Amino acid sequence: MMNHNINAAAVKAAAQGQWREILTANGIKLPEPKKHGPCPICGGKDRFRLEERKAEKAARGVWVCSHCDCKGGDGLSLYQKATGQSMGEAIRSLAGYLGLSSQMTPADHARIEKQRQKAAKAAEEQRQKEASQRDAAAALAQQMEREAVGCMAEQVPYLARKGLSGFGVEVLAHDYDRHKAGSLLVVLFNIDGVTTSAEIIDSEGRKMALAGGQKKGSAAYIEPLGDSLPENAAHCGVVEGYATGLSVRALTGGWPIFCGMSKAGLMDAAKIARYNCPKAQIVVCGDIGAEKEAREAAATVGGITSFPPSGGDWNDYHQAQEVAA
């Protein structure tokens, strides 16, 4: 019978901050850090990831699978499920691997506390590093925004290839390290209207977010055509990408548009849209492949969804309508 002096809490405390190494050492194949990959439990090509972008989650071995019925858990649950053991068996085997004795001694407790403090220190250092990176990205985005120059959309190769023209956009006034002059500038802001980051789109259409920038809780904004203000808008669009937003604005005759910059960002964009357009009917215009995210975002803000009638994405549909006209 298992000695309950060694329980799940003791194992988790001893393993804190070491889960990637522990899991790998015990034969559990994981994707590269901060990457998606096959799930060690159910397989698949691109279903699984360890949540390593946040120090607190990384310390606990938090994982997510988009297919597994259990959806996710912590490092202990991953070890247990991936090895096919009962929870009791998993605790016993990990306790042995971690060197925990069947009768916890003062030395065991001291070693666990030392590891806990080490993990807490590493987590705090990581949080400070991430905060510093967010601040630096926000400052750079704000500088780019101040120094940007205006031009017509058709002068930007990326937008010209998308068939977008006849309105002004902003581009980088000069080089910023790897971000080159003339690249399209898409500024991101949070619900308080504070610029948080930016996405830069170069002449080849390559999209580069500012390193360390805060994408979560942020969105880009495309002004409505005409003189209307967003707070008075009857309708408002929420989309994934910037070119998609420009296409939807054209198709709707000039609605204000909020861009999440990915399907995962639709929820944040919808919330920011509702805050800025309190009277509007919000229409979440999802591209094909983002149906789930679009419906969840629309439900959260009392909106509705719309998808391209012909499949593909909204820019494809917009270009087809232009040709037909």
Side-chain angles (χ1 to χ4, degrees):
M1 181 178 293
M2 178 181 173
N3 188 304
H4 292 285
N5 197 31
I6 296 181
N7 55 23
V11 167
K12 291 178 183 180
Q16 190 168 0
Q18 306 177 82
W19 280 109
R20 173 172 283 278
E21 292 77 12
I22 291 169
L23 294 166
T24 301
N26 282 275
I28 298 171
K29 188 174 181 180
L30 302 173
E32 292 297 315
K34 301 181 181 179
K35 301 290 185 182
H36 289 71
C39 178
I41 302 169
C42 69
K45 293 182 178 180
D46 193 27
R47 296 172 172 173
F48 173 91
R49 71 181 184 276
L50 284 180
E51 293 279 26
E52 295 176 299
R53 295 184 183 278
K54 297 295 182 182
E56 184 272 335
K57 290 184 177 181
R60 294 191 292 118
V62 173
W63 59 278
V64 175
C65 177
S66 62
H67 185 268
C68 288
D69 290 339
C70 55
K71 302 299 182 185
D74 61 13
L76 178 56
S77 72
L78 177 57
Y79 176 83
Q80 179 251 320
K81 293 175 184 297
T83 58
Q85 301 179 69
S86 69
M87 183 55 73
E89 290 169 338
I91 290 171
R92 284 194 294 272
S93 61
L94 275 180
Y97 175 81
L98 292 165
L100 301 178
S101 62
S102 60
Q103 296 292 331
M104 294 281 282
T105 66
D108 289 325
H109 288 293
R111 182 153 47 83
I112 289 173
E113 177 59 19
K114 183 178 180 180
Q115 178 59 36
R116 187 197 66 77
Q117 292 178 2
K118 180 181 177 182
K121 180 181 179 182
E124 179 58 28
E125 289 174 349
Q126 182 64 24
R127 278 192 289 270
Q128 291 178 5
K129 179 181 178 182
E130 291 169 357
S132 178
Q133 290 173 333
R134 287 194 299 271
D135 290 345
L140 179 56
Q142 291 160 14
Q143 179 186 354
M144 289 175 166
E145 188 176 18
R146 289 192 303 270
E147 297 173 350
V149 296
C151 68
M152 297 303 290
E154 56 268 29
Q155 295 176 281
V156 178
Y158 170 70
L159 297 180
R161 290 195 298 272
K162 295 282 188 179
L164 297 163
S165 63
F167 54 87
V169 294
E170 291 189 332
V171 298
L172 298 184
H174 55 81
D175 292 354
Y176 297 83
D177 192 17
R178 62 195 180 103
H179 304 297
K180 303 305 179 184
S183 296
L184 181 64
L185 173 64
V186 182
V187 174
L188 305 182
F189 63 97
N190 62 22
I191 201 165
D192 296 317
V194 177
T195 297
T196 56
S197 189
E199 183 170 280
I200 313 302
I201 307 176
D202 69 12
S203 60
E204 300 301 316
R206 290 184 291 260
K207 301 172 183 178
M208 294 170 283
L210 296 187
Q214 182 179 333
K215 190 172 181 181
K216 181 67 177 173
S218 301
Y221 176 58
I222 300 174
E223 294 181 348
L225 299 175
D227 298 326
S228 62
L229 297 173
E231 56 263 35
N232 298 323
H235 295 87
C236 168
V238 171
V239 303
E240 295 179 48
Y242 185 71
T244 298
L246 293 172
S247 296
V248 170
R249 184 180 67 170
L251 288 165
T252 60
W255 290 0
I257 306 292
F258 294 81
C259 311
M261 309 312 290
S262 70
K263 66 181 182 180
L266 287 172
M267 181 67 76
D268 288 328
K271 292 177 180 178
I272 292 172
R274 172 56 69 211
Y275 181 82
N276 285 277
C277 304
K279 303 174 185 177
Q281 170 68 78
I282 293 178
V283 183
V284 181
C285 302
D287 288 330
I288 300 304
E291 294 88 350
K292 176 176 177 289
E293 291 82 359
R295 292 187 178 109
E296 288 176 350
T300 298
V301 298
I304 60 174
T305 58
S306 182
F307 300 97
S310 56
D313 63 29
W314 284 105
N315 183 252
D316 294 334
Y317 179 69
H318 176 222
Q319 291 197 63
Q321 294 298 106
E322 291 289 300
V323 170

